[in-house]
């Protein structure tokens, strides 16, 4: 699956713009504040229907406008497709694939998988465990789309058990119904833990290798740390039953896969607590590269990788290593203040995009149109 062309209107700083993406590497260059990150965010938004930068998505609508619209054209083994997202603050998003409305783009098979590196967004490393669990579950779904329902089924069972625990605690319900929900939660929980464990096992070796190549010294490791060691539903249900008194005291379920952790370490110590900002960024980048490699092996093609200002984190040698990895296969988009910071950025086959004075200038090798595209 290739993303080939993005058109957008009233997104962030752009009134309207069009961007052609290369089959391999696309480099977007421009001064700080020119709008490079806004373009990356637009690509991500068009692929997923959500922002990679903010939870307050009102911010993506250009100031002075009431609605934004993005359209992404793709090519796949099944032919060309068009993904569209319309968003007006205060209303539900309007998303479609080939003109047919969809509820979630992330459930659509005919869309590019996408991952993003933003140097100032280290939530995946520094944030709460829930963010890492959510990310891990997204990787599970990307690897095995048929398993997407497991996380939702577990979340629904957890919500039902929590509601019952709260009702029992308040004297509005009997404990007699809890064993049934223990069993239901455990049934989905062991499958969820199994999926997470299998995914992380595949990431261990490539994560360590990419971290070392990027300069994260001291030995890097990624590990899955489940709250429960149960491997069968009956065992997890028994653990839940054993902890029922504590749950009733707290008013919610305190044990299970919703308390799991994804651990990133360097030299045996948590990057979250003991890594410098530079080390944390390299750890995040290594994780994304490892996921990209595993997805390529499992799904036959790597995801579209969006890298914002990544070259400023690396010396010349490691910049070269990163570009070698990217050019080994798959689509990637890099933003930079200077084209010279991207080794091989001037080579044939690399699509170059310059942003200047609010305008997007496509490299002259664009076969469809020379020179300037649409103004932002």
């Amino acid at each position: 699956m290739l993303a080939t062309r993005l058109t957008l209107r009233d997104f962030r700083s752009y009134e309207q713009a069009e961007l052609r993406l290369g089959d391999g590497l696309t480099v977007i260059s421009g001064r700080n504040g020119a709008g490079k990150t806004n373009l990356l965010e637009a690509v991500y938004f068009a692929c997923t229907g959500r922002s990679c930068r903010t939870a307050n998505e009102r911010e993506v609508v250009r100031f002075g406008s009431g609605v934004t619209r993005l359209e992404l054209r793709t090519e796949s083994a099944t032919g060309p497709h068009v993904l569209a997202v319309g968003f007006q603050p205060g209303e539900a998003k309007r998303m479609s694939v080939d003109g047919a409305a969809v509820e979630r783009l992330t459930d659509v098979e005919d869309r590019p998988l996408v991952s993003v590196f933003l140097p100032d967004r280290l939530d995946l490393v520094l944030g709460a465990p829930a963010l890492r669990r959510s990310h891990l579950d997204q990787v599970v779904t990307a690897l095995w789309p048929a398993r997407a329902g497991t996380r939702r089924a577990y979340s629904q069972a957890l919500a039902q058990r929590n509601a019952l625990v709260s009702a029992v605690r308040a004297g509005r319900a009997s404990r007699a119904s809890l064993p049934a929900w223990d069993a239901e939660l455990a049934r989905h929980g062991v499958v969820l833990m199994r999926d997470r464990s299998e995914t992380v096992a595949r990431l261990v070796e490539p994560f360590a290798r990419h971290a070392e190549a990027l300069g994260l010294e001291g030995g890097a490791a990624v590990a899955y740390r489940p709250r429960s060691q149960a491997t069968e539903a009956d065992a997890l249900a028994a653990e839940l039953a054993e902890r029922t008194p504590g749950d009733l005291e707290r008013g919610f379920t305190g044990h299970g896969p919703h308390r799991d952790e994804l651990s990133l370490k360097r030299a045996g110590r948590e990057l979250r607590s003991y890594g410098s900002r530079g080390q944390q960024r390299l750890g995040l980048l290594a994780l994304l590269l490892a996921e990209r490699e595993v997805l390529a092996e499992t799904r036959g093609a790597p995801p579209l990788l969006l890298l914002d200002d990544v070259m400023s984190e690396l010396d010349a040698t490691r910049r070269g290593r990163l570009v070698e990895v990217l050019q080994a296969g798959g689509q990637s988009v890099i933003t930079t203040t200077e084209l010279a910071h991207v080794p091989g950025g001037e080579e044939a086959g690399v699509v170059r995009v310059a942003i200047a004075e609010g305008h997007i200038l496509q490299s002259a090798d664009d076969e469809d149109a020379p020179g300037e595209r649409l103004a932002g």
Side-chain angles (χ1 to χ4, degrees), residues 237-317:
E239 292 176 359
L240 291 167
E242 182 182 348
R243 290 164 173 79
T244 295
D247 292 345
L248 292 173
E249 183 177 342
R250 286 185 298 267
F252 60 86
T253 305
H255 183 70
H258 59 287
R259 308 286 285 180
D260 289 351
E261 173 66 289
L262 179 68
S263 170
L264 302 175
K265 291 185 177 181
R266 184 195 72 86
R269 308 179 80 184
E270 291 286 347
L271 270 175
R272 177 186 182 187
S273 302
Y274 298 101
S276 67
R277 284 294 184 270
Q279 291 168 340
Q280 290 163 351
R281 291 185 180 111
L282 292 179
L284 174 57
L285 180 56
L287 179 64
L288 296 179
L289 291 175
E291 292 167 356
R292 185 175 191 258
E293 182 176 320
V294 170
L295 282 165
E297 293 171 353
T298 305
R299 297 289 300 274
L304 169 60
L305 185 58
L306 310 176
L307 301 170
D308 187 37
D309 197 29
V310 67
M311 293 305 177
S312 66
E313 307 292 327
L314 306 172
D315 61 24
T317 299

Side-chain angles (χ1 to χ4, degrees), residues 168-188:
V168 172
R169 185 171 185 258
R172 299 192 308 270
S174 166
R175 292 179 57 166
S177 300
L178 277 171
W181 283 110
D182 290 349
E184 181 71 3
L185 192 63
R187 181 168 70 90
H188 298 298

Side-chain angles (χ1 to χ4, degrees), residues 319-349:
R319 288 174 181 173
R321 291 176 182 171
L322 174 59
V323 171
E324 286 178 7
V325 171
L326 299 180
Q327 291 185 327
Q331 280 186 293
S332 54
V333 182
I334 294 179
T335 69
T336 181
T337 54
E338 299 288 343
L339 183 60
H341 291 171
V342 181
E346 297 280 4
E347 294 178 0

Side-chain angles (χ1 to χ4, degrees), residues 196-208:
R196 289 173 174 175
S197 179
E198 183 178 354
T199 298
V200 176
R202 296 183 180 214
L203 293 173
V204 169
E205 188 279 329
F207 174 75

Side-chain angles (χ1 to χ4, degrees), residues 79-276:
H81 299 281
V82 180
L83 282 63
V85 183
F87 174 56
Q88 181 174 350
E91 297 187 8
K93 290 174 187 158
R94 298 180 299 280
M95 295 177 280
S96 66
V97 178
D98 299 331
V102 296
E103 184 177 348
R104 285 185 296 265
L105 281 178
T106 50
D107 290 344
V108 174
E109 187 171 342
D110 289 320
R111 73 169 185 95
L113 298 175
V114 61
S115 58
V116 60
F117 171 85
L118 301 171
D120 294 329
R121 295 286 291 176
L122 290 172
D123 293 354
L124 190 57
V125 177
L126 296 175
L131 296 172
R132 288 180 288 281
R133 287 193 297 270
S134 177
H135 179 81
L136 178 56
D137 291 338
Q138 290 172 22
V139 179
V140 170
T141 299
L143 286 169
W144 305 288
R147 304 185 190 183
T150 301
R151 167 66 183 264
R152 284 199 290 270
Y154 180 84
S155 297
Q156 290 167 359
L158 178 62
Q160 292 289 342
R161 188 181 189 275
N162 281 341
L164 181 57
V165 166
S166 179
V168 172
R169 185 171 185 258
R172 299 192 308 270
S174 166
R175 292 179 57 166
S177 300
L178 277 171
W181 283 110
D182 290 349
E184 181 71 3
L185 192 63
R187 181 168 70 90
H188 298 298
V190 292
V191 177
L192 182 59
M193 290 191 294
R194 196 175 302 135
D195 289 345
R196 289 173 174 175
S197 179
E198 183 178 354
T199 298
V200 176
R202 296 183 180 214
L203 293 173
V204 169
E205 188 279 329
F207 174 75
R209 174 165 35 84
H210 286 299
E212 181 179 11
L214 292 170
L216 189 58
E217 300 173 349
V222 59
Y224 173 49
R225 288 167 34 195
R227 176 59 66 94
S228 170
Q229 298 304 312
T231 58
E232 300 295 335
D234 289 347
L236 180 54
E239 292 176 359
L240 291 167
E242 182 182 348
R243 290 164 173 79
T244 295
D247 292 345
L248 292 173
E249 183 177 342
R250 286 185 298 267
F252 60 86
T253 305
H255 183 70
H258 59 287
R259 308 286 285 180
D260 289 351
E261 173 66 289
L262 179 68
S263 170
L264 302 175
K265 291 185 177 181
R266 184 195 72 86
R269 308 179 80 184
E270 291 286 347
L271 270 175
R272 177 186 182 187
S273 302
Y274 298 101
S276 67

